[in-house]
Amino acid sequence: MLLRRWPKCTAEWLSHKKLLPWKVYSHPFSIFATSVQLDDSSSDEKLNCAPDNEPIRKRPQSLSSDSIVQTLRCLKRKPAVAFAYFKDTHSLGFHHDFSTYSEIIQILSHSFQGKMLVSLFCEMISTPNSASPEILTLIDHLRNTCVTSHVLSFAVNCLIKAYTTCHAHDAQATIEKFCHLCRLGFVPTVWACNFLLKFVSQRGESDLVVIAYDQMKSFQLTLDAQSLNIVTRSLFQANKADEAFQVWVGMIEMGVKPDVHGYSSFIIGLCDCGKFDLAYNMVSRYTVLQENTHERGYSYLVRSYCELGNLKKAWHHVEAMVSHGIEINCHIVGYLLQCLRKLGMTSEVIVHFQKFRDLGLHFDGVVYNIGMDAYCKLGNMNEAVMLLKQMMAEGLAPDKIHYTCLINGYCLKGETENAWQAFEQMLKANIKPDVVTYNILASGYSRNGLVMKVFDLLEHMVDQGLEPNSLTYGVVIAGFCRVGNLSEAEVLFNIVEEKGIENIEVMYSSMISNLCREGKVEGASTVCMMMLEKNVVPDVISYSKLISAYCQTGDTRSAQLWFDDMVERGFSDVIAYTVLMNGYCKVGQIKKACELFHQMINFGMKPDVVAYTVLLDGHLKEILRRGWQGIAKEGRGRSFLLRAKQKYLLSSMKDNEIEPDVAYYTVLIDGQCKAEYLDEARRLFDEMLAKGLAPDVYTYTALINGYCSQGEASKAEDLLQEMIDKGMKPDELTFSVLHQRTLRD
């Protein structure tokens, strides 16, 4: 029979059921009690609870431990009710002792009521009471009274979970409690060990994870693949790959077999920590453990090396895959082609794309897109379109990335009509363009001076629910500036200002940077002037790039004008000064460069090693130029000037606590070689090595050139071999120097 009206508390209901020898009235009932239904009782039995407004007629009689234990035992098949009764009696003022705590722990453990047992343990840990029994004593009592080991293990697991809850911010304390349990003879399960390891790991304390792991080993606790994963992952996150490897080897020797996820994660962790050789050894050594993950290990190694741009190592591992009978898939092909593309080897992308396709490999959309992009960059749009058609013939549906790639290719060639047709095909295929697609097409139109098409496209973009962003306006304005459509660019400047586009300074800086990089210095200058008219002042970086662009064209006058404008507005730094100094040095105006150098110091700016290197290079070239013109024909005079200038600059650097770097030594060595002082050049080279500085390709090339110019071909060849042995790849200049010397011989 269902209750018509809920009792006011669990204890009152139990009294009515004649399970208690007393009556208790008017006490707020526990939430557990509210979910209880009557068991098989007489249908004539009714609840006679006092109305809410009826005064309490009796005080609860005194509770005893024996009576509560007796009641709890009667409720052992109803653990939720038993727990609610236990808490209710406590709220009535009864202080539970060893017998009552022991009984409720046994009931909750035998019925596997984890949440209730954890909450009980948490309460005992958080609010210790001298009258309450010691929690470990209760667990030990359970060990002597429980029927099965599963019940005891369950209680210990709950206790460990309670410790982690109560000591959430103190992993060390939790580990100590865990070890204390072990010393008392309790054996935590694998679940408990992993729970503790995960708890400590989530706090980012890899040292404590290792401490916990070592303690578990010392107590000879059983660990599994998940334990291995948790410990090694924590060490990898702390960049402790060597320790992770030792843990891995130790657990393998203990008989732990890593699962698929653990094996892959371990290889990934080694690669992420830069331990590629160790990862490769792992792939080779432990293939028998997880044959189905062998491919994953190699795949991640190839991917990692490709992301680093180390194509040689990536190919090595691909060859190793083939030698082990592992088939190359489209993902491996994608990594390799992506690496080639990143290295600027566009033609090689096409060559290897064809080779892999001839092997009969199945390509996915990503690989096809890489191939299409390569053809587009080479201007071979017919082949790019053919790839798109072949992809569709194989049942692969192109997405916006493929169509955007085609649109970009057509725009780069100036074929804006074909770009628009590709755009329309994209729309007909129900593929919605994104802002990137619109930006590329708008940039193509603006670069080709198609003003109306640009504005129509922006309107179309808005109709499609896309709002032009700062990048959209930036590429269009930059495009107009490239072809001299300044009035249209100014119109867009006004639109940007009216709309209050965010990151407007970033947009302008990006435009100036791109125009300068493309050599469109007048366009970049126009953007700067428009910015100033709108009271938007360029930053130092934008000023420096514009000054540098003018210097590269030899127009130091314009560079100086923009430099003066920057200084007047309160902007200047060492980089800007150095850029203009370098410009003056390149056109032989060393005096102007020196004036800027001293002006920089007078303004309280400290020159860096780059500024000193620029000034040194300028002085050396000026001395050599004067020597070639006959002003300093005497070897002694030229040597004196070189040494004097070198000594002056080194003294100044020492005063400013600046150490020469590789570039500085390279300029010195190059100057000495061109002045035909090979012994001094070699001395500087050896001095550089003694200071722990590693010569680069340019340093070796300068010295090789010096030896070749003096007919010492054998020394030049020795340097070339030394350079190759150190893993350096000679550049075109190096080979050109040797080739010219061979022709002279």
Side-chain angles (χ1 to χ4, degrees):
M1 175 179 175
L2 294 175
L3 289 174
R4 294 183 180 176
R5 186 159 64 89
W6 294 109
K8 295 180 182 177
C9 70
T10 308
E12 184 179 344
W13 177 71
L14 294 170
S15 173
H16 177 74
K17 295 293 292 177
K18 297 184 170 66
L19 294 173
L20 299 178
W22 62 85
K23 288 187 178 181
V24 181
Y25 300 99
S26 189
H27 180 72
F29 54 87
S30 166
I31 191 169
F32 293 103
T34 62
S35 62
V36 179
Q37 295 181 347
L38 287 173
D39 57 4
D40 296 332
S41 303
S42 172
S43 59
D44 296 332
E45 192 171 25
K46 308 289 182 182
L47 287 173
N48 296 312
C49 295
D52 292 340
N53 58 356
E54 182 177 334
I56 299 175
R57 290 169 298 184
K58 289 188 178 181
R59 291 287 177 188
Q61 298 178 8
S62 61
L63 301 173
S64 67
S65 297
D66 291 341
S67 62
I68 291 178
V69 169
Q70 178 187 357
T71 304
L72 288 173
R73 287 175 179 172
C74 292
L75 292 170
K76 65 181 180 180
R77 296 183 182 275
K78 297 182 181 293
V81 178
F83 188 57
Y85 166 70
F86 182 88
K87 294 180 73 66
D88 280 347
T89 51
H90 175 73
S91 65
L92 289 172
F94 181 78
H95 295 290
H96 290 286
D97 57 12
F98 182 88
S99 60
T100 56
Y101 268 110
S102 178
E103 192 64 38
I104 191 62
I105 289 173
Q106 287 191 57
I107 291 172
L108 296 179
S109 298
H110 279 277
S111 56
F112 299 104
Q113 297 294 324
K115 288 184 178 180
M116 299 179 199
L117 191 54
V118 170
S119 69
L120 178 65
F121 286 150
C122 284
E123 186 177 339
M124 296 177 71
I125 295 169
S126 302
T127 56
N129 191 326
S130 57
S132 300
E134 212 280 324
I135 194 168
L136 291 177
T137 307
L138 290 168
I139 295 294
D140 191 52
H141 178 71
L142 181 64
R143 176 167 54 182
N144 298 325
T145 57
C146 68
V147 179
T148 64
S149 60
H150 296 296
V151 173
L152 179 62
S153 296
F154 180 81
V156 172
N157 289 351
C158 289
L159 179 57
I160 292 171
K161 190 172 183 179
Y163 280 138
T164 62
T165 303
C166 296
H167 301 295
H169 302 292
D170 191 351
Q172 180 69 51
T174 306
I175 295 172
E176 291 173 359
K177 294 291 185 182
F178 180 91
C179 293
H180 186 53
L181 272 172
C182 295
R183 282 191 287 270
L184 291 175
F186 294 102
V187 183
T189 62
V190 176
W191 179 91
C193 293
N194 291 340
F195 187 86
L196 178 64
L197 289 172
K198 189 175 181 181
F199 164 77
V200 180
S201 174
Q202 287 174 343
R203 272 131 197 88
E205 301 181 65
S206 60
D207 292 339
L208 288 180
V209 173
V210 174
I211 289 173
Y213 165 70
D214 289 340
Q215 290 290 346
M216 291 172 186
K217 283 199 305 180
S218 68
F219 289 117
Q220 298 183 341
L221 301 179
T222 302
L223 299 173
D224 62 3
Q226 187 181 359
S227 316
L228 175 61
N229 297 347
I230 295 170
V231 177
T232 55
R233 183 170 61 246
S234 177
L235 290 169
F236 283 134
Q237 288 172 350
N239 201 27
K240 297 178 180 178
D242 293 331
E243 289 185 40
F245 181 75
Q246 294 302 322
V247 169
W248 173 280
V249 173
M251 293 192 76
I252 294 295
E253 291 173 349
M254 288 167 56
V256 176
K257 292 185 177 181
D259 55 15
V260 174
H261 173 71
Y263 183 86
S264 301
S265 297
F266 192 75
I267 299 299
I268 290 171
L270 288 173
C271 291
D272 288 344
C273 290
K275 300 289 184 178
F276 300 108
D277 292 337
L278 191 56
Y280 175 68
N281 292 334
M282 288 291 298
V283 172
S284 304
R285 181 178 178 183
Y286 291 107
T287 54
V288 294
L289 296 175
Q290 294 291 344
E291 292 182 4
N292 58 338
T293 58
H294 196 191
E295 179 183 343
R296 293 189 184 194
Y298 275 116
S299 179
Y300 198 82
L301 278 170
V302 173
R303 174 185 167 187
S304 298
Y305 277 117
C306 285
E307 288 176 349
L308 291 172
N310 194 332
L311 195 58
K312 183 179 178 181
K313 283 283 190 180
W315 278 115
H316 171 73
H317 291 304
V318 171
E319 291 168 359
M321 288 180 69
V322 175
S323 66
H324 283 87
I326 302 173
E327 293 184 359
I328 300 173
N329 56 34
C330 63
H331 302 296
I332 298 293
V333 175
Y335 300 149
L336 293 170
L337 297 182
Q338 192 76 273
C339 182
L340 288 168
R341 179 167 68 173
K342 185 170 68 174
L343 293 173
M345 304 169 69
T346 308
S347 298
E348 290 295 313
V349 172
I350 299 299
V351 171
H352 287 90
F353 180 91
Q354 295 291 355
K355 283 184 178 179
F356 284 122
R357 190 164 63 169
D358 292 341
L359 292 173
L361 294 177
H362 171 73
F363 289 168
D364 60 5
V366 174
V367 176
Y368 270 109
N369 183 70
I370 296 172
M372 288 172 57
D373 178 68
Y375 277 123
C376 288
K377 286 179 178 176
L378 294 173
N380 196 339
M381 296 307 300
N382 290 334
E383 289 295 333
V385 173
M386 284 294 296
L387 279 187
L388 183 68
K389 291 179 179 178
Q390 289 172 12
M391 172 182 160
M392 296 172 69
E394 292 180 10
L396 296 172
D399 56 19
K400 63 184 176 184
I401 298 176
H402 298 94
Y403 280 107
T404 301
C405 179
L406 280 182
I407 293 168
N408 186 46
Y410 282 125
C411 287
L412 290 174
K413 287 193 72 177
E415 299 177 6
T416 53
E417 282 301 320
N418 288 333
W420 176 254
Q421 288 178 14
F423 184 80
E424 287 186 321
Q425 290 175 9
M426 183 179 183
L427 295 175
K428 288 178 182 178
N430 292 322
I431 299 173
K432 188 176 181 180
D434 58 9
V435 176
V436 176
T437 311
Y438 278 103
N439 289 353
I440 288 172
L441 191 53
S443 178
Y445 281 151
S446 61
R447 280 201 305 266
N448 287 276
L450 302 173
V451 177
M452 292 309 300
K453 285 188 176 292
V454 169
F455 286 105
D456 289 342
L457 185 66
L458 293 178
E459 186 177 346
H460 186 279
M461 185 177 179
V462 174
D463 291 341
Q464 295 295 314
L466 293 173
E467 188 67 29
N469 57 19
S470 59
L471 183 58
T472 310
Y473 288 110
V475 296
V476 173
I477 294 171
F480 284 151
C481 291
R482 284 186 185 94
V483 295
N485 291 340
L486 303 183
S487 59
E488 289 79 6
E490 190 168 2
V491 169
L492 283 176
F493 262 106
N494 294 331
I495 292 175
V496 169
E497 189 177 24
E498 291 172 3
K499 286 181 172 289
I501 301 294
E502 293 183 358
N503 300 322
I504 188 171
E505 291 83 3
V506 176
M507 179 192 80
Y508 291 141
S509 298
S510 177
M511 281 192 286
I512 294 170
S513 177
N514 292 333
L515 289 167
C516 289
R517 187 172 58 249
E518 296 171 8
K520 305 290 184 180
V521 64
E522 293 302 328
S525 181
T526 300
V527 172
C528 275
M529 286 188 287
M530 288 183 176
M531 288 176 66
L532 294 172
E533 288 175 2
K534 304 295 181 185
N535 293 320
V536 179
V537 180
D539 57 15
V540 178
I541 296 174
S542 298
Y543 270 116
S544 298
K545 288 184 177 179
L546 184 57
I547 293 165
S548 177
Y550 272 118
C551 288
Q552 287 171 10
T553 64
D555 188 358
T556 52
R557 180 177 176 276
S558 297
Q560 183 69 57
L561 289 173
W562 279 110
F563 180 85
D564 293 340
D565 183 82
M566 176 187 71
V567 174
E568 287 177 7
R569 297 179 187 277
F571 296 108
S572 62
D573 63 2
V574 175
I575 295 174
Y577 271 96
T578 304
V579 166
L580 189 53
M581 283 165 52
N582 190 43
Y584 279 124
C585 287
K586 283 184 176 180
V587 296
Q589 298 185 43
I590 189 66
K591 184 178 179 181
K592 286 274 192 181
C594 289
E595 288 174 357
L596 281 171
F597 184 80
H598 292 297
Q599 179 183 322
M600 174 171 56
I601 295 174
N602 292 334
F603 283 173
M605 282 180 259
K606 182 180 178 181
D608 58 11
V609 69
V610 179
Y612 278 105
T613 303
V614 165
L615 203 57
L616 174 67
D617 187 52
H619 277 298
L620 293 179
K621 287 177 179 175
E622 176 66 13
I623 292 170
L624 292 170
R625 182 184 64 80
R626 290 168 61 190
W628 292 327
Q629 290 177 351
I631 298 174
K633 288 183 179 178
E634 293 294 329
R636 291 181 180 177
R638 191 163 53 186
S639 175
F640 174 77
L641 289 172
L642 286 170
R643 289 179 180 275
K645 191 55 62 177
Q646 176 183 337
K647 185 177 180 181
Y648 166 74
L649 290 175
L650 285 173
S651 175
S652 178
M653 290 175 69
K654 187 176 181 180
D655 292 341
N656 286 295
E657 298 181 346
I658 297 172
E659 288 291 329
D661 61 2
V662 174
Y664 188 90
Y665 270 104
T666 300
V667 169
L668 276 176
I669 292 167
D670 185 53
Q672 297 294 338
C673 286
K674 287 176 179 175
E676 301 178 2
Y677 300 126
L678 289 181
D679 291 341
E680 179 63 15
R682 183 69 207 200
R683 187 192 68 78
L684 289 167
F685 187 86
D686 294 337
E687 179 183 300
M688 179 181 175
L689 293 173
K691 287 187 174 182
L693 296 173
D696 58 15
V697 174
Y698 302 104
T699 316
Y700 275 103
T701 301
L703 197 50
I704 289 171
N705 185 34
Y707 281 129
C708 286
S709 65
Q710 295 299 305
E712 300 189 30
S714 60
K715 290 185 178 180
E717 290 171 357
D718 290 343
L719 273 177
L720 178 63
Q721 189 59 51
E722 179 183 321
M723 177 180 173
I724 293 172
D725 291 343
K726 288 185 176 180
M728 297 181 201
K729 184 178 179 181
D731 60 8
E732 293 180 3
L733 179 60
T734 313
F735 285 118
S736 174
V737 167
L738 290 170
H739 180 63
Q740 289 176 12
R741 184 60 206 169
T742 303
L743 290 177
R744 287 198 207 102
D745 292 340

